Amino acid sequence: MQPREDFNRTVQLLSALALYAHTYGADPVFVDAVGPSLAASLPEPPPGVFPPGYDPTDGPRYPGGQC
């Protein structure tokens, strides 16, 4: 699997889990068990996902965020 495919597939799985978590009858124990593991398995974004020069740590300070 290519790095971009792996990243995209993991994002799709996280999205599906979020959708499932908000459906009637969803198992919250399953969501709580799978969610953190799936999020931790999210690989680094492959080159080209963000525009050139993008810095995710650059930006405004938000209330309640780190100083």
Side-chain angles (χ1 to χ4, degrees):
M1 186 176 289
Q2 298 294 328
R4 183 176 294 271
E5 292 173 353
D6 188 31
F7 179 80
N8 290 343
R9 181 66 179 146
T10 306
V11 169
Q12 288 175 349
L13 289 169
L14 282 167
S15 299
L17 183 64
L19 182 62
Y20 168 73
H22 290 89
T23 59
Y24 179 76
D27 183 358
V29 175
F30 173 77
V31 173
D32 290 344
V34 173
S37 299
L38 190 56
S41 74
L42 187 65
E44 286 289 321
V49 171
F50 296 109
Y54 175 78
D55 182 5
T57 61
D58 188 26
R61 295 170 74 179
Y62 294 99
Q66 295 179 356
C67 298

